[in-house]
Amino acid sequence: MTARTELRSWVESANGHSEFSLANLPLGIFSRDGGQPRGGVAVGDCIFDLSVACEAGLFEGQAAEAAKAASASSLNAFFDLGAPARQALRQALQNLLAENGERREQLQRMGESLLQPMDRCRMHLPARVGDYTDFYVGIHHANNVGKLFRPDNPLLPNYKYVPIGYHGRASTVDVSGATVRRPNGQTLPAGASEPSFGPSKRLDYELELGIWIGQGNARGESIPIGEAGGHVAGFCLLNDWSARDLQAWEYQPLGPFLSKSFATSVSPWVVMPEALEPFRCAQPARPEGDPQPLPYLYDEKDQQQGALDIELEVLLLTQAMRDKGLPAQRITLSSTRNMYWTVAQMVAHHSVNGCSLQPGDLFGSGTLSGERDDSCGSLLEITQGGKRALELPGGETRTFLEDGDEIILKARCRREGYPPIGFGECRGRILPAAS
Amino acid sequence: MTARTELRSWVESANGHSEFSLANLPLGIFSRDGGQPRGGVAVGDCIFDLSVACEAGLFEGQAAEAAKAASASSLNAFFDLGAPARQALRQALQNLLAENGERREQLQRMGESLLQPMDRCRMHLPARVGDYTDFYVGIHHANNVGKLFRPDNPLLPNYKYVPIGYHGRASTVDVSGATVRRPNGQTLPAGASEPSFGPSKRLDYELELGIWIGQGNARGESIPIGEAGGHVAGFCLLNDWSARDLQAWEYQPLGPFLSKSFATSVSPWVVMPEALEPFRCAQPARPEGDPQPLPYLYDEKDQQQGALDIELEVLLLTQAMRDKGLPAQRITLSSTRNMYWTVAQMVAHHSVNGCSLQPGDLFGSGTLSGERDDSCGSLLEITQGGKRALELPGGETRTFLEDGDEIILKARCRREGYPPIGFGECRGRILPAAS
């Protein structure tokens, strides 16, 4: 695969350690100065404006078709084009932006009209979310949460057979930077026999990988695991904000509802599967001796290369830290290596009953905690259900999130001999509950 | 309110005992001869074509705006206009179609171009479903199902405080008449320690009231219970097809997923809230002595008139019955009086955490079983978990649905002195599982 030296760009900020090098080229929807949202590509500290590029005739053939679809106000139509069109666009972008690209001078003359400064742009949700499904494939999270309720038997009997998931709320998926209002709701205070109503007191984040679905399947048909990867349009970071006290009271017998549906945040850039190819690996989270996946979830290539090696981190910035000029504090360092099921297994499972997936559907992986204390993907785990406070710079502590707290998710792929791939950020700040 | 004699129509089939009299006038999306789907109104055995009516200039003012929105290929934009526009359209339609309507002769001359024969038309999903939420407000269903697992304590402690619900799958909501392919999936056979994979052996229906959401709310804001009714665009029948064996194995800890997401069927006609006004009643399913609803779920008017008195029935037609020319057999007779929570309470609860509802969102009430053996809204209840076979005409029996079985839901409102209101049908036939 493409080594770093082959991928230098005439866009200087895309070289070196940029998370948006030519090896990455994620797509997103941006606007500037209140203009129309439209598709663009992250290149160093700029956004390559696909509308402008299309109008200038920079693309040909399948790449032109893909660029036109991706230049719209959402990426749904682009997602629907599938992998060959996406790959053609990626190749064309690498050619245009390469240090020795043939059209370099023409492009450089176009200046800021083609390459918008990222810090002057506003990012939008990359696609209209049809359905949003949240999985539960982080095995250490399932273990950690299970232990809080069932210390001797934390994993339920179905866990190692079924990629557990549930339907989430699509209307409240929003892009990084959107604030999150603390939800009101019913809770059962400790020792009480009747519920109370008010703002959640146990507001939490969940560190997840987001998966954007590309081409769908017809209702009544399933997607075989060997073809499942071809239905994935790209990846992002996802924060599944969770009100633990609402969840504990409401979730029996039908699962989480209002404890999750108030907000889900995603990072704005859709990282293409092709950018992640060098960071594929065998499933590290399935120990020897665990049951073999059922045939519809088993594919030899997926077993060998279906997992992902992406470093994930969570940072917290409180209002007091902000006031004192302190930087955000890293509170979690984890990895997608903690996924017990691969993305292909999630796609195959979701559709095996004939459920139709559609371009722009969004999956969350479930919370991706590691095995160590500093790799927990939620405050519920870090604080062991609120019993052990997390210490922060400036003398503050946290058990759950307070108003003004901001959670920042980041992700990066690193491998010797390959340029790094970054995901950008998924940020969200907590606002006080509505009165 | 409008007594029967005031509402005779020059469309003769709308008079007498028609379920689509001038007191009803439900909206839907239809097409004919492969043409473009468009909005229409059920009148007797005809569909009043709103596009043709708009072009002919039959509406004025707010009614014209509403008719134009409702004449599109989905009702989402019409739903977004809210109650006053809907009421203006309803009034205008009643004036146009009344026996003594001023423009009767003009309309009659338009003939079939304005009034399409219903049996020549195909119905479509009335709106693009943004999010679909399934509630669990049928208290006798919750009791019946709870008894199968917890004979001494069937209702969970949250039931009488929380209108329990969960997110369903929007992409597989389809209109009456669409076939339903038996889902494949994982099940844990009795006595086994490892799951099997194959077609569901315990396929079931669930009799529900469907609720179409009209105007939405912004994320972070809630809908007060006193205003909740104004956010409801209309009602339909809903069949929440369920694979009980998949459900039993997958549902811990996050609720139903593939056991439900393969299909949900709705009846095509959206019955307006105004048509149901005479059939409002006090909450019959909340016994004296039960806890008072929390303030955000309590509204005096809703307590007095927020419930609905709609008769519901389920019919089953098997392939053998079809072959012998036998009619569909009624297997359930129930009522919306079995709802423990009102529709307004469902809307207020759903949005109390700031979750945004949008025009075209769909709610299911949850299975509406009565207290009697012949009023169970699912085969799970009728057969007590498959233990007691249901006897059918022609000597057949059923515990769960077999391939070729068709389930037909119907609903009707009846009250002395008022014309009846019908919902039409919600039909679905089971196809064999994909191989």
Side-chain angles (χ1 to χ4, degrees):
Chain A
M1 195 127 294
T2 48
R4 187 181 303 173
T5 48
E6 296 170 26
L7 284 161
R8 281 194 65 84
S9 175
W10 53 264
V11 182
E12 272 304 329
S13 61
N15 298 323
H17 295 285
S18 170
E19 62 176 351
F20 300 130
S21 72
L22 294 200
N24 193 351
L25 298 177
L27 273 75
I29 300 296
F30 76 102
S31 65
R32 187 170 169 187
D33 303 331
Q36 176 71 17
R38 58 196 188 278
V41 183
V43 184
D45 56 12
C46 296
I47 299 176
F48 181 91
D49 189 323
L50 286 167
S51 304
V52 171
C54 285
E55 276 169 35
L58 299 184
F59 300 106
E60 287 172 8
Q62 202 170 20
E65 185 193 6
K68 186 163 191 324
S71 69
S73 61
S74 82
L75 295 176
N76 297 71
F78 169 73
F79 289 170
D80 197 20
L81 292 178
R86 180 180 69 232
Q87 288 156 6
L89 176 61
R90 177 176 163 82
Q91 187 60 58
L93 286 164
Q94 287 182 339
N95 293 345
L96 286 170
L97 293 162
E99 194 169 34
N100 55 359
E102 288 176 17
R103 306 177 79 167
R104 172 177 172 165
E105 285 184 25
Q106 176 194 357
L107 271 59
Q108 281 181 319
R109 275 197 305 274
M110 293 172 74
E112 267 201 24
S113 79
L114 180 67
L115 284 163
Q116 313 258 2
M118 198 179 278
D119 59 8
R120 302 282 299 274
C121 298
R122 180 181 159 202
M123 298 304 298
H124 301 266
L125 198 60
R128 293 184 309 278
V129 180
D131 277 287
Y132 159 50
T133 300
D134 200 21
F135 283 88
Y136 193 59
V137 310
I139 187 166
H140 304 305
H141 172 72
N143 246 318
N144 292 341
V145 173
K147 268 182 204 160
L148 295 177
F149 299 102
R150 299 172 302 276
D152 299 331
N153 192 21
L155 276 192
L156 291 167
N158 57 13
Y159 191 85
K160 293 187 172 181
Y161 296 96
V162 181
I164 295 289
Y166 68 102
H167 307 294
R169 179 79 192 176
S171 73
T172 51
V173 175
D174 210 338
V175 75
S176 173
T179 51
V180 174
R181 192 168 284 287
R182 179 182 299 274
N184 287 310
Q186 290 190 35
T187 59
L188 190 69
S193 62
E194 297 197 346
S196 299
F197 179 81
S200 168
K201 297 189 176 94
R202 291 163 74 93
L203 186 54
D204 202 353
Y205 68 91
E206 289 195 344
L207 167 64
E208 304 196 12
L209 180 72
I211 297 109
W212 289 103
I213 295 298
Q215 287 180 320
N217 60 304
R219 187 160 79 89
E221 291 176 10
S222 58
I223 298 174
I225 178 131
E227 299 170 18
H231 291 262
V232 173
F235 299 87
C236 65
L237 286 160
L238 185 148
N239 186 343
D240 175 27
W241 303 96
S242 299
R244 304 297 178 192
D245 42 358
L246 275 62
Q247 189 174 354
W249 173 235
E250 76 170 359
Y251 92 105
Q252 289 286 14
L254 298 177
F257 182 42
L258 300 192
S259 55
K260 305 274 195 174
S261 65
F262 57 97
T264 301
S265 300
V266 294
S267 57
W269 294 109
V270 180
V271 176
M272 295 188 194
E274 290 73 22
L276 298 182
E277 273 306 310
F279 310 98
R280 292 278 178 181
C281 59
Q283 273 189 302
R286 181 184 283 272
E288 287 276 334
D290 269 15
Q292 176 98 331
L294 288 173
Y296 80 95
L297 296 172
Y298 187 89
D299 176 75
E300 189 54 38
K301 189 179 165 211
D302 186 55
Q303 292 289 307
Q304 295 308 317
Q305 306 174 41
L308 288 162
D309 187 1
I310 309 170
E311 205 178 280
L312 306 169
E313 56 178 333
V314 182
L315 297 94
L316 171 61
L317 181 67
T318 70
Q319 186 58 50
M321 291 163 70
R322 203 178 289 120
D323 292 343
K324 290 176 192 164
L326 293 170
Q329 168 78 3
R330 184 165 83 192
I331 59 175
T332 303
L333 181 62
S334 184
S335 166
T336 55
R337 295 167 60 90
N338 297 309
M339 292 168 67
Y340 189 79
W341 300 98
T342 67
V343 171
Q345 287 173 321
M346 291 155 66
V347 170
H349 181 67
H350 203 316
S351 65
V352 75
N353 67 343
C355 177
S356 49
L357 305 183
Q358 297 181 317
D361 283 353
L362 177 67
F363 290 1
S365 60
T367 309
L368 295 180
S369 301
E371 288 180 280
R372 295 160 42 129
D373 271 5
D374 61 358
S375 64
C376 292
S378 68
L379 284 169
L380 181 73
E381 294 162 82
I382 293 175
T383 68
Q384 294 181 347
K387 291 199 285 286
R388 193 181 62 179
L390 173 68
E391 291 183 16
L392 296 173
E396 282 187 289
T397 62
R398 283 292 180 278
T399 46
F400 291 97
L401 296 173
E402 298 190 4
D403 294 346
D405 286 358
E406 183 166 23
I407 288 289
I408 305 144
L409 311 184
K410 296 187 182 184
R412 184 173 279 249
C413 303
R414 286 195 260 225
R415 184 177 162 193
E416 189 60 35
Y418 293 87
I421 299 287
F423 276 61
E425 293 180 342
C426 178
R427 283 178 177 263
R429 191 162 49 83
I430 306 300
L431 299 183
S435 57
Chain B
M1 194 129 293
T2 48
R4 186 180 306 174
T5 47
E6 297 171 22
L7 284 161
R8 282 192 64 86
S9 175
W10 53 263
V11 182
E12 271 306 328
S13 62
N15 299 321
H17 296 285
S18 170
E19 62 176 349
F20 299 130
S21 72
L22 293 201
N24 194 350
L25 298 175
L27 272 77
I29 300 296
F30 76 102
S31 64
R32 188 171 169 186
D33 304 331
Q36 176 70 18
R38 57 196 189 277
V41 183
V43 185
D45 56 13
C46 295
I47 298 176
F48 181 92
D49 189 324
L50 286 167
S51 305
V52 171
C54 286
E55 276 168 37
L58 298 184
F59 299 105
E60 287 172 8
Q62 202 169 21
E65 185 193 7
K68 186 161 191 324
S71 69
S73 62
S74 82
L75 295 176
N76 296 74
F78 169 72
F79 288 171
D80 197 21
L81 292 178
R86 180 180 70 233
Q87 288 157 4
L89 176 60
R90 178 176 162 83
Q91 187 60 57
L93 286 164
Q94 287 181 338
N95 292 345
L96 287 170
L97 294 162
E99 195 170 33
N100 54 0
E102 287 177 17
R103 308 176 77 167
R104 171 177 174 165
E105 286 185 25
Q106 177 195 356
L107 271 58
Q108 281 181 318
R109 276 196 305 273
M110 293 171 75
E112 267 201 25
S113 79
L114 181 67
L115 286 162
Q116 314 259 2
M118 198 179 280
D119 59 8
R120 303 282 299 275
C121 297
R122 181 181 158 204
M123 298 305 297
H124 301 266
L125 198 60
R128 293 183 310 277
V129 180
D131 278 287
Y132 159 48
T133 300
D134 200 20
F135 282 87
Y136 194 59
V137 309
I139 188 167
H140 305 305
H141 172 72
N143 247 318
N144 292 340
V145 173
K147 269 182 204 161
L148 295 177
F149 300 100
R150 300 172 301 275
D152 299 330
N153 192 21
L155 276 193
L156 290 167
N158 56 14
Y159 191 84
K160 293 187 171 179
Y161 296 96
V162 181
I164 296 289
Y166 68 102
H167 306 295
R169 180 80 192 175
S171 73
T172 51
V173 175
D174 210 339
V175 74
S176 174
T179 52
V180 174
R181 192 168 285 286
R182 178 182 300 273
N184 287 310
Q186 289 190 35
T187 59
L188 190 70
S193 62
E194 297 197 348
S196 299
F197 178 82
S200 169
K201 296 189 176 91
R202 292 163 73 93
L203 186 54
D204 202 356
Y205 69 90
E206 289 195 344
L207 168 64
E208 304 196 12
L209 180 71
I211 297 111
W212 289 102
I213 296 298
Q215 287 179 320
N217 60 303
R219 186 159 79 89
E221 291 176 11
S222 57
I223 299 173
I225 180 135
E227 298 170 17
H231 291 262
V232 173
F235 300 88
C236 65
L237 287 160
L238 186 149
N239 187 342
D240 174 29
W241 303 96
S242 300
R244 302 298 179 191
D245 41 359
L246 275 62
Q247 189 175 354
W249 174 234
E250 75 170 2
Y251 91 106
Q252 290 286 13
L254 297 177
F257 182 44
L258 300 191
S259 55
K260 304 275 195 173
S261 65
F262 58 98
T264 302
S265 300
V266 293
S267 57
W269 293 109
V270 181
V271 176
M272 294 187 197
E274 291 72 23
L276 298 183
E277 273 305 310
F279 309 98
R280 291 279 178 180
C281 60
Q283 274 190 302
R286 181 183 284 271
E288 288 275 335
D290 269 14
Q292 177 98 334
L294 287 173
Y296 81 94
L297 296 171
Y298 188 90
D299 175 75
E300 189 55 38
K301 188 177 167 212
D302 186 57
Q303 292 288 307
Q304 296 307 318
Q305 306 175 42
L308 288 162
D309 187 2
I310 309 171
E311 203 177 280
L312 306 169
E313 56 178 333
V314 182
L315 297 94
L316 170 60
L317 181 67
T318 71
Q319 187 58 50
M321 290 163 70
R322 205 177 287 121
D323 292 343
K324 290 176 190 163
L326 292 171
Q329 169 77 6
R330 184 165 84 191
I331 60 174
T332 303
L333 181 63
S334 185
S335 166
T336 55
R337 295 167 60 91
N338 297 309
M339 292 166 69
Y340 190 78
W341 300 99
T342 67
V343 171
Q345 286 173 321
M346 291 155 67
V347 169
H349 182 65
H350 203 315
S351 65
V352 76
N353 67 343
C355 176
S356 48
L357 305 182
Q358 297 181 316
D361 284 351
L362 177 66
F363 291 1
S365 61
T367 310
L368 296 179
S369 300
E371 288 180 282
R372 297 162 38 132
D373 272 3
D374 61 357
S375 64
C376 292
S378 69
L379 284 169
L380 182 73
E381 295 162 82
I382 293 174
T383 69
Q384 294 180 349
K387 291 199 285 285
R388 193 181 63 179
L390 173 69
E391 293 184 13
L392 296 172
E396 282 187 288
T397 61
R398 282 292 180 276
T399 47
F400 290 97
L401 296 172
E402 299 190 3
D403 294 345
D405 285 358
E406 184 166 22
I407 288 289
I408 305 143
L409 311 184
K410 295 186 182 184
R412 186 172 278 250
C413 304
R414 287 196 260 222
R415 184 176 163 193
E416 188 63 35
Y418 292 87
I421 299 286
F423 276 61
E425 292 180 342
C426 178
R427 283 178 176 263
R429 190 162 50 81
I430 306 299
L431 298 183
S435 57

